[in-house]
Amino acid sequence: MVPTGETSLRQVTIKVASTRVKDATTGNYTDARAPALSYETFTISIPPTHKATQIEWPESKPNPQTSFVVTDRKTLPNLAMSGGRTSSGHRVTGKRDILIFVHGYNYTFAESLFRLAQVAVDGNLQEVPILFAWPSAASALGYVADKDAVTYSRDDLVELLVELAADPAVGNITLFGHSMGGWLVTEALRQLRLSGQDKVIDRIDNVVLAAPDIDIDVFYRQFQTIGMLTPPMTLLVSPDDRALRLSDWLAGSRGRVGTADATDPRVQTLAAANGVRVIDISKVDALDASNHNRFAALMKVLPRAPKSLLPSIAHAGTFILEPISATLVASPR
């Protein structure tokens, strides 16, 4: 870790709940599966040269002037919001809104940590960012292993949601799942409903699934159990998502939720009938050839959008995000 010593550097503090095992020598998180959740807080400095949507990766010797750098980390007994401090050292008082990010398939711990830091800084998030880091194999060939790893971590995400929902210092809760992390989010919500923990679900103010890697039929059955949410669950989709096309092929040509076509009358009917908000973000610039990480590029759009953009669309339905005007347009029928 490298101290910044530079007042010009931006910093973001991220709380972490992880089911990854930490290497006893280096302290680095591995892809081994831990028997219980562990908690930490990380402070990451963002270089003055940072470009929106990008992660400036450190080279052999981390330089906070040119790259993301972890400047501090501390082990925590839990993720309680009370008694905490801001990045400037002031004691936190009152309730704190939080955003829980559940990363997707083929992520290292560092990638998930830095991606959340990028989103928090570019989006100027006011919520406390929390990373739920499950033990992805971080390999393009590790799809099946990752599917098992998210299943392994399901009870732990439920445990985290129960604890945070009961914390009197927690305000609004946003639960954000990307890719295979979207499957983990819906499974956790389903488990909460089946176990009669409706009050925990009621404490979650927004559920957003970005490029969800979920079989369409499986999602429909999950949602039958979860039920309609208020406000509606939001699905960020891109019909041209190449990573999900590969997932579709690996699953035997079973369609994925994240490639839903918002202009398809069948999708529109299902969204309205089941209380889901589907937003096509395929006009947002992709970060790479896979078109799978557009959610991170949304941070260039949202600062220009009205603060009431999503809350004002309280009803379910299908929409297309126009990035230039930063507005949502009802998808054509």
Side-chain angles (χ1 to χ4, degrees), residues 10 17 20 40 199 222 229:
R10 289 177 291 174
R20 292 177 180 267
E40 282 197 81
K199 290 184 178 179
Q222 289 171 321
L229 303 179

Side-chain angles (χ1 to χ4, degrees), residues 13-17 40-42 76 79-81 116 128-131:
T13 299
I14 294 175
K15 291 177 178 285
V16 173
E40 282 197 81
T41 182
F42 286 77
L76 301 174
L79 291 192
M81 293 296 122
L116 181 53
V128 175
I130 297 174
L131 170 64

Side-chain angles (χ1 to χ4, degrees), residues 34-331:
L37 280 170
S38 62
Y39 307 98
E40 282 197 81
T41 182
F42 286 77
T43 300
I44 298 102
S45 69
I46 312 298
T49 55
H50 171 65
K51 295 182 180 178
T53 78
Q54 301 301 307
I55 297 174
E56 286 80 13
W57 285 95
E59 296 182 357
S60 56
K61 185 177 181 180
N63 182 352
Q65 290 297 313
T66 58
S67 64
F68 283 47
V69 175
V70 172
T71 60
D72 190 34
R73 64 184 288 189
K74 293 185 178 72
T75 300
L76 301 174
N78 54 54
L79 291 192
M81 293 296 122
S82 58
R85 293 180 180 272
T86 66
S87 59
S88 59
H90 296 95
R91 183 170 293 279
V92 173
T93 58
K95 291 182 178 292
R96 299 293 309 276
D97 296 341
I98 63 175
L99 182 146
I100 305 168
F101 173 58
V102 184
H103 66 79
Y105 150 71
N106 191 17
Y107 264 76
T108 65
F109 175 79
E111 286 170 334
S112 61
L113 182 70
F114 283 178
R115 180 56 71 194
L116 181 53
Q118 172 261 310
V119 167
V121 168
D122 290 350
N124 192 28
L125 297 187
Q126 301 305 302
E127 298 93 339
V128 175
I130 297 174
L131 170 64
F132 183 84
W134 53 273
S136 167
S139 167
L141 300 177
Y143 188 85
V144 174
D146 275 13
K147 195 73 174 191
D148 290 340
V150 292
T151 303
Y152 176 85
S153 303
R154 181 171 47 191
D155 290 350
D156 300 283
L157 180 56
V158 169
E159 176 187 332
L160 178 67
L161 292 173
V162 170
E163 290 179 358
L164 291 173
D167 188 342
V170 171
N172 294 331
I173 300 173
T174 296
L175 182 56
F176 191 107
H178 173 235
S179 186
M180 198 176 283
W183 183 90
L184 180 51
V185 165
T186 52
E187 278 295 290
L189 293 174
R190 179 177 180 273
Q191 191 160 314
L192 286 168
R193 190 70 82 192
L194 287 172
S195 59
Q197 300 186 79
D198 298 344
K199 290 184 178 179
V200 177
I201 294 178
D202 292 342
R203 278 285 285 118
I204 302 172
D205 298 272
N206 287 289
V207 176
V208 182
L209 307 182
D213 187 0
I214 310 174
D215 178 294
I216 289 176
D217 295 329
V218 170
F219 178 73
Y220 182 68
R221 294 297 293 272
Q222 289 171 321
F223 203 80
Q224 282 182 312
T225 300
I226 297 167
M228 294 186 185
L229 303 179
T230 303
M233 178 185 291
T234 299
L235 308 179
L236 304 179
V237 303
S238 300
D240 63 349
D241 189 318
R242 293 188 177 94
L244 290 183
R245 292 299 182 193
L246 176 59
S247 175
D248 183 345
W249 177 79
L250 290 171
S253 298
R254 299 283 185 176
R256 317 316 281 175
V257 173
T259 56
D261 183 353
T263 65
D264 187 330
R266 295 171 298 178
V267 174
Q268 295 172 345
T269 299
L270 287 172
N274 293 284
V276 177
R277 183 165 51 199
V278 179
I279 302 178
D280 185 329
I281 62 171
S282 56
K283 291 187 179 182
V284 175
D285 291 339
L287 300 188
D288 54 44
S290 73
N291 300 331
H292 190 54
N293 296 301
R294 281 195 172 99
F295 77 94
L298 280 176
M299 296 306 108
K300 290 202 304 184
V301 177
L302 295 183
R304 295 184 284 109
K307 291 184 179 179
S308 60
L309 177 64
L310 288 180
S312 66
I313 303 178
H315 60 280
T318 55
F319 306 88
I320 296 174
L321 176 61
E322 295 289 347
I324 295 178
S325 59
T327 55
L328 288 178
V329 179
S331 56

